[in-house]
Amino acid sequence: MKIETVDADVLCIGGGIAGLMAAIRASELGARVVVVEKGSIGYSGAARMGNDHFWAYVPEAHGPDMRAFIKECMLTQLGPMCSTLSSRVVDTWMERSLEIVKLWEEWGIEMKYQGQWEFAGHSFPGHAMTHLKYSGHNQNIVLLDEARKRGAVAMDRVMAFELLGGAGRVTGALGIDTREDRLVEFQARSVILCTGSTRRLFLGVTPALIGNDTRPFTLTGDGRAMAYRLGAELVGMEMLARHVGNRYFVRSGQGTWIGVFRDPYGRPLGPYVAEPSRRYGDITPEVDKSLFARVMESGGGPVYMDCSGISDEDYEYMRHWLVQEGSAPLLNHLSEEGIDPRKHPIEFMSYNFASIGYIRCNEKGETSVRGLYSAGDESTFGISGAAIFGWVAAENAAAYVGESAAPAFDGENARTEEKKRLIETLQNRMDGTDWKDANIALQQVMSDYAGPVRSAPMLEAGLSHVRRLREKARNTLRAENRWELTRCVEVLNLYDLAELVFVAALERRESRGFHQRADYRMTDPLLNDQVLIVRNVDGKPTATWREKER
Amino acid sequence: MPPVIDLNECIGCGKCVDVCSEDVFFGTKDFGKSIEHKPVVTYPEVCWHCNLCVKACPVAGAIRLRIPLAMSVAYKDGPLGNS
């Protein structure tokens, strides 16, 4: 296998919203930028189908008090999602949001509706409107064009899978070509990880259709796994999240629907709206993401999204935003099946649990490793988080590169050779385990032992099993071709993350959110301002509590 | 399972293969080189049904998504309250 060397000041790993925003900003600040993406840049990541909600603070709409706005936002699903972030991170996010909104508008992503700021959905009636409506169907392509205009180099079909460096700093990364027999050694003065969320760790809604998920199949937490192995701190690895959406056709976008969530007798599930509301939608599932699962499990279901009584104008408005949001395939399916949401209430469900857990970053996008930054769903969440922190991380990475302290690549031959041997071994095994077997083995043990019910004996048993499986996977995984090789490398990353989930879940001796311990049933208020950090200490995952930064 | 290609309509341009980040068409030989080289759907089960291959296709009807039965939306064929 040939090794090719690529040199950059700033290497952006992942070509979604965060990676492209980072590439644009670092390039315009004078850095030589490479964006590497295992899929196709412009058509990759969770946002590639579009989006219609952008969390932003717009003073002319929200008033002059940003803190009051943030406080209101924390009442919605944004609250739990921000729980492991410092308030400085959240402040920076909101302080810079309007600047990014205006840039997007300037570049050709419509951030206004009929010439005005438009806010709808994801909000409680009578409270602050949290999300700007925008037309995001073309966002990835627009950002790719802007990155290219500024001279960033886009490299498709290469999966960066290992960071290079040591002694608390990063010097580059290794990537495998997902189609050709080639290893790429990136020599970079700074790296911005932008690899998105972690899927395929827990079983999905349709286990046999591994791609039926709210996020694409290729998002496997690679950035977290790489960062962890190099020594960066991860936070909240024990925590779980779940989405709510259409039953079986797994999609995001619940907040775009205009209607009322009702039981079979027509009774509203939540107290917020009784009739379809264009302005508010129905925020009920955001308050309790497991509500629909409990209703179903207790025999009170199914739960329906009832759009009956919606005006023609509001119905067209909803369809417009569902298209922007990326739900055109769903709308096509409804139309092909003769399903009209105004006449046919559509079932919604609580989807399966998924891992969250972030690479711990400060308000500059810096990780605990020098020269290593992170942005997007691996350190915050959602489109606006990806856009704003991609931008912010790039500013700080470019400044880091400009300082003399940034060391040049000084040779990482041993690491490169070790990883090259791993890749060749996976390719050359004549017989062995296929990636899917190894992935499903992992998903079932995660769902059974680290899912919604946890206890020390279960977590310890699950951890032992995962470690045994990982050893077997390392010794037997076999790739038939480059596509399968990519999947094998992803699965090995997932096994590393699985171990961290167990280690952190064992350390959190309380119940909080979806982390429910049968042996520690209370939420311990003494842990309210603490975060649980996991990091690699001499090859062993170590969990420690730390005071949450202000 | 998706995507489904009408080989009579497909002109072998390879645009669908280019845009697919899951690379469900992996192994398609010499795509885009001639009309003889049609995309092959090698890994349908990982499709995200994002529709980008359909949008990228220059020939209407040459490629479409077939939604698996396991993903069929569940709904009620009439108003609520009459259970």
Side-chain angles (χ1 to χ4, degrees), chain A residues 7-21:
Chain A
D7 189 51
D9 290 331
V10 175
L11 174 67
C12 303
I13 299 181
I17 301 293
L20 289 171
M21 286 296 281

Side-chain angles (χ1 to χ4, degrees), chain A residues 40 43-44 46 48-49 157 179 209 211-218 249 251 264-265 304 329 333 339 344-347 436 481 483-484, chain B residues 1 17-23 26 31 43 45-52 67-68 70-78 80-81 83:
Chain A
S40 178
Y43 306 93
S44 69
R48 69 193 198 220
M49 283 195 280
R157 310 286 176 193
R179 287 179 172 176
L209 284 177
N212 189 24
D213 202 334
T214 54
R215 303 283 182 270
F217 157 88
T218 41
F249 198 121
R251 281 295 118 139
Y265 304 99
Y304 295 94
H333 171 66
I339 304 169
H344 306 120
I346 293 171
E347 284 190 41
K436 198 189 272 182
N481 55 40
W483 191 94
E484 291 191 11
Chain B
M1 279 190 285
V17 183
D18 279 343
V19 301
C20 183
S21 277
E22 282 66 49
D23 220 1
F26 180 88
F31 67 92
Y43 295 105
E45 75 275 21
V46 308
C47 174
W48 196 34
H49 308 89
C50 71
N51 220 36
L52 294 184
I67 303 303
M71 285 177 65
S72 287
V73 165
Y75 66 100
K76 186 174 181 200
D77 197 9
L80 300 178
S83 298

Side-chain angles (χ1 to χ4, degrees), chain A residues 338-493:
Chain A
I339 304 169
D340 181 340
R342 290 168 295 189
K343 296 180 194 153
H344 306 120
I346 293 171
E347 284 190 41
F348 270 58
M349 67 184 288
S350 304
Y351 295 146
N352 293 24
F353 289 96
S355 176
I356 38 176
Y358 294 140
I359 298 172
R360 192 172 149 272
C361 285
N362 64 12
E363 69 279 11
K364 296 176 169 180
E366 290 171 335
T367 71
S368 53
V369 170
R370 274 188 295 147
L372 184 64
Y373 298 79
S374 166
D377 282 350
E378 64 184 24
S379 49
T380 58
F381 56 87
I383 303 287
S384 96
I388 290 150
F389 286 103
W391 196 256
V392 167
E395 289 177 347
N396 292 295
Y400 172 83
V401 166
E403 290 163 10
S404 55
F409 188 85
D410 56 3
E412 302 285 354
N413 292 337
R415 195 82 182 133
T416 301
E417 281 304 315
E418 180 199 329
K419 290 294 161 181
K420 181 171 176 260
R421 279 197 301 277
L422 167 73
I423 299 300
E424 285 172 344
T425 304
L426 293 170
Q427 279 181 300
N428 295 337
R429 278 190 184 121
M430 299 302 287
D431 184 30
T433 306
D434 95 316
W435 71 272
K436 198 189 272 182
D437 180 13
N439 202 151
I440 292 170
L442 177 63
Q443 287 175 300
Q444 70 184 10
V445 66
M446 293 306 289
S447 292
D448 287 341
Y449 293 84
V453 183
R454 297 170 169 182
S455 69
M458 287 172 69
L459 291 166
E460 281 159 7
L463 177 56
S464 298
H465 193 56
V466 156
R467 283 178 170 154
R468 286 191 291 262
L469 289 173
R470 179 171 62 179
E471 201 52 30
K472 282 191 194 176
R474 282 176 177 163
N475 293 325
T476 63
L477 266 175
R478 170 180 182 270
E480 183 77 31
N481 55 40
R482 295 301 283 194
W483 191 94
E484 291 191 11
L485 176 67
T486 311
R487 307 289 86 84
C488 287
V489 174
E490 290 170 344
V491 167
L492 290 173
N493 278 342

